[in-house]
Every structure is written in C-alpha cells, then in structure tokens.
Amino acid sequence: MSEFKPLVFSGVQPTGNLHLGNYLGAIRKFVALQDNNDCMYCVVDLHALTAQLVHEDMRGQIRSITAAFLAAGIDPKRHIVFNQSQVPQHAELAWIFNCVARIGWMNRMTQFKDKAGKDREQASLGLYAYPSLMAADILVYRATHVPVGEDQKQHLELTRDIAMKFNMDFMEKIRPTGLGVDITVGDEPVHAYFPMVEPLIDGPAPRVMSLKDGSKKMSKSDPSDLSRINLMDDSEAISRKIRKAKTDPDALPSEVDGLKCRPEADNLVGIFAALADKTKAEVLTEFGGQQFSVFKPALVELAVEVLAPINAEMRRLMDDPGHIDAVLRDGGERARARAEKTMTEIRDIIGFVR
Ligand code: TYM
C-alpha cells in the first residue's frame, strides 16, 4: 500500500442547540464533502459527558443532532451517520491513546483551560482526556480528513502528535504485520499505521463570532440567545437577531482588507459569504459602500432562505424518532465493523493475547 485511503470523519456533541457556527463551520462542509468522499459523521455522545454528567434529555439531543445532519442533506445510506456510544472501540482506543499522549501535551489544550475555568481541580478527568477520545474517534477508522471549525485546530494537532508517537513507538512492530503505509512526515520517512490527519478548516466562516460581540465565538453556552442564531430558530427570530446584531457606524468596505479591526462587520460578511457559497471579496464587490441598513435585510433574506428548509425538515424528522434511531442503528453497525477491524490490528500490533 502506498497511501492511506481517503476518509472524511467528523463529530458534533449533543449538547444544547446547534447554531449557525456549527452549521457553517462544520455541517455545511460535511454536506459538500459527501459528493466525492467516503464520509463518517458521528454524534459524539460520550464527549457530552465530559462537561456535564447528567443530561435531562440525552436521547432527544442525540436525535436532534442526527436530524440536523439529515435535514442539512447528509445521505446516511451512502455514508455513515451514527452515535459514538454504539461503537465501544472508540473508548478502547482512547484508553490506549491516554497511554500515548503526554501530560505536558494535554496541559497545553486551550479548550480544557476555557471549559475548566478557574476551578480546575473540580473539572472531570474526562474533560481533561477529551482530546484523546477525539483522536480515537478519528483514528479508529484511520480517517484522513476532518472538517471542523477553527476552535478544533489544536485538538487535531494533538491527534497528529498522538498518531506520530504511536507510529514511531511501534514502527518495528507495525512493519512485519504488513499493515503500515510508507509516508514522509517533514523530510522523515515513517512506516505508519495511522495517517497524519488533515484538518479542513478553510472557507469564509471558520470561526463564526457572537452577534453581540465580535471578539467572542458564537457558542451554545453564551447566556444571551441574541448572540447566536439557532438552527431551530424561526424566520422571525432570525430576522430579529440579525437586525439587533452589533455593527459599527461605517459603510461596508469594498476590499477585504477594510474589514481588519472591524470584527462585527467582518463576521457578518463572513456569514453572508458562507451562506451564499461565495468569498468575502465577492460579497464586498456587491455590497462595498453600502450601509448596514441595506446589508442586514439582504443577510436576513439569505439566512432565512438557507435555514428555513433545514429547520422545517428537522422538525419533520424529530416527529419520527423511530426513523432517526433506525438510521443511527444502521450507521452504528457499519461503523462498528470498521472500528473492530482496526482494533483487531492494533491489539495485534501492541501484542495483546487473543
Ligand atoms: P462541537 O460539538 O463543539 O462543535 C461541532 C462543530 O462546530 C464547530 N463550531 C464552530 N465553527 C465555526 N464557528 C463557531 N462559532 C463554531 N462553534 C462550533 C466546531 O469546530 C465543530 O467542528 N470536539 C468537537 C467534537 C468532536 C470531533 C471529534 C470533531 C469529537 N470528536 C472528531 C471532529 C473529529 C466539538 O466539541 O465540537
């Protein structure tokens, strides 16, 4: 074998409402990638336990993310849509990765620092090990490409570090199995079992910001609902939130450079571009010189045009939980078969007796 087989993998946590950041940073890219790739999209329910153990409606949350995947246009027959807990091999590989990753690496994770807050002693061990489970999600399928928002970049760098250390530590055990692939990392030839995953972060909205504060990420946990557009918001709510979004008094610039130091304008132009499948430059060609009083109504119209059908389809799907569960069960079965193949190989490479 000379190369790893391309495979797209990504995950979304079933915690809180999905918002425009999740859609533009992740789900919209999932849909675009499925035409030319083998894809696996996972509702990462084990990850949802890391910040909060007990969830009032875990099942409903899992179904709602699945409904969003399907409503956005992911085809669960051609690809694999499943929830993480149906594939215990993720947790098994995560344990092995806990023994590969170094404490020093984990201590650098900014998301852990943000989520743990001031009282780090009270954070769960799961929250600390979160990125190791994320690496396992991806590498248990030896996936090569991972579409995510920019906030996940550091976790994917850690995934590469874990893969690299495993490859190097076990290189002489991998070689005789014939399961490895010759790759070069930098200038170095490596006989690798795990690929070096490539993050797919590009696009005009890799980091959608709060509508109320252009320096803060749009987030499920922001106490102000006006800061985000939820995928379940109706047209009236979308319109109200965009009309109330923070801006500055100037007209839009004609060049992308003019968005520097104007975080709110930059954010709204990025959102418009991502929703319209355009670049920011193209949006500014159309709206440069215009006031927000002209741009905002155009953005409302576009956002409603894109999001209303997704919203309607999500509601329709949520009325039939049996169908959603059947999709997850089918995806879970197919994912399990793939994951077990990898885990059998990994157990052999490590030298466990079976
Ligand atoms: P989660 O559930 O927090 O977010 C899901 C996806 O949405 C993206 N995202 C954003 N993109 C742009 N702007 C924003 N404001 C914004 N907010 C969220 C996230 O980057 C993500 O792509 N750790 C992951 C879940 C995960 C995963 C994985 C992802 C678990 N295992 C394996 C990829 C591969 C997370 O917390 O996503």
Side-chain angles (χ1 to χ4, degrees):
M1 214 201 294
S2 62
E3 272 187 358
F4 286 96
K5 202 162 150 264
L7 173 66
V8 172
F9 182 96
S10 197
V12 175
Q13 291 196 67
T15 47
N17 290 331
L18 283 177
H19 53 69
L20 190 63
N22 300 125
Y23 178 64
L24 295 179
I27 297 171
R28 195 171 166 92
K29 291 193 235 168
F30 299 176
V31 178
L33 283 162
Q34 62 175 352
D35 287 341
N36 298 314
N37 299 279
D38 180 11
C39 302
M40 302 184 72
Y41 297 126
C42 183
V43 183
V44 289
D45 46 14
L46 297 175
H47 275 111
L49 305 183
T50 57
Q52 182 193 332
L53 183 59
V54 182
H55 293 252
E56 206 173 298
D57 186 18
M58 174 66 98
R59 256 185 214 119
Q61 293 285 349
I62 296 170
R63 287 174 182 146
S64 138
I65 307 289
T66 312
F69 284 177
L70 304 182
I74 292 167
D75 180 348
K77 291 215 171 69
R78 276 197 301 134
H79 302 281
I80 295 184
V81 172
F82 70 110
N83 57 313
Q84 192 183 27
S85 60
Q86 291 210 56
V87 187
Q89 288 83 353
H90 288 230
E92 182 183 357
L93 185 57
W95 176 258
I96 294 167
F97 285 171
N98 284 346
C99 302
V100 174
R102 307 287 93 182
I103 287 181
W105 301 358
M106 307 308 271
N107 284 344
R108 284 195 284 275
M109 294 297 114
T110 55
Q111 189 157 312
F112 173 73
K113 292 180 201 169
D114 290 349
K115 287 199 176 168
K118 286 201 183 72
D119 198 359
R120 214 176 281 182
E121 299 282 306
Q122 282 305 315
S124 74
L125 188 53
L127 187 66
Y128 190 63
Y130 180 115
S132 170
L133 177 58
M134 181 163 159
D137 297 338
I138 300 164
L139 294 176
V140 81
Y141 306 104
R142 300 165 97 192
T144 54
H145 293 83
V146 183
V148 282
E150 201 177 62
D151 60 342
Q152 297 302 314
K153 193 168 173 217
Q154 195 186 33
H155 288 159
L156 294 182
E157 280 160 9
L158 184 90
T159 301
R160 293 169 66 106
D161 290 342
I162 289 176
M164 187 66 173
K165 182 162 165 54
F166 184 98
N167 288 336
M168 297 306 265
D169 288 354
F170 286 100
M171 187 139 49
E172 293 320 316
K173 301 218 182 255
I174 295 166
R175 212 181 287 282
T177 64
L179 299 168
V181 174
D182 287 316
I183 58 170
T184 38
V185 180
D187 289 333
E188 209 176 333
V190 180
H191 192 67
Y193 182 74
F194 290 122
M196 296 290 111
V197 294
E198 263 184 58
L200 303 175
I201 300 181
D202 48 348
R207 189 178 182 83
V208 177
M209 307 308 275
S210 154
L211 298 180
K212 289 274 128 204
D213 177 352
S215 68
K216 273 186 12 200
K217 192 178 73 165
M218 183 177 285
S219 142
K220 295 168 186 170
S221 56
D222 194 311
S224 164
D225 195 52
L226 282 177
S227 70
R228 67 183 158 260
I229 291 173
N230 303 304
L231 284 195
M232 289 305 264
D233 282 346
D234 59 21
S235 307
E236 197 277 319
I238 294 173
S239 163
R240 180 164 33 89
K241 288 175 180 181
I242 292 177
R243 275 188 282 115
K244 291 195 168 179
K246 186 175 170 201
T247 49
D248 56 42
D250 297 333
L252 282 171
S254 307
E255 309 280 334
V256 176
D257 258 3
L259 292 170
K260 276 188 196 145
C261 307
R262 294 182 65 188
E264 284 84 15
D266 188 25
N267 190 37
L268 294 183
V269 171
I271 290 173
F272 193 110
L275 286 170
D277 281 328
K278 288 185 173 163
T279 62
K280 286 188 201 176
E282 284 167 337
V283 176
L284 292 179
T285 307
E286 193 179 341
F287 288 98
Q290 303 273 18
Q291 297 294 333
F292 282 103
S293 54
V294 176
F295 182 67
K296 277 185 169 181
L299 180 56
V300 169
E301 197 183 324
L302 175 63
V304 168
E305 184 187 309
V306 174
L307 298 178
I310 298 178
N311 179 312
E313 181 63 2
M314 269 181 82
R315 285 177 199 280
R316 194 187 68 78
L317 288 163
M318 291 293 283
D319 279 343
D320 187 359
H323 170 68
I324 296 181
D325 294 1
V327 166
L328 292 173
R329 214 173 304 121
D330 169 63
E333 216 168 281
R334 287 186 287 140
R336 224 162 25 241
R338 289 185 181 195
E340 180 53 21
K341 179 172 179 296
T342 321
M343 275 320 301
T344 307
E345 295 173 359
I346 293 170
R347 292 182 207 118
D348 279 348
I349 288 170
I350 295 176
F352 291 144
V353 173
R354 60 172 161 130

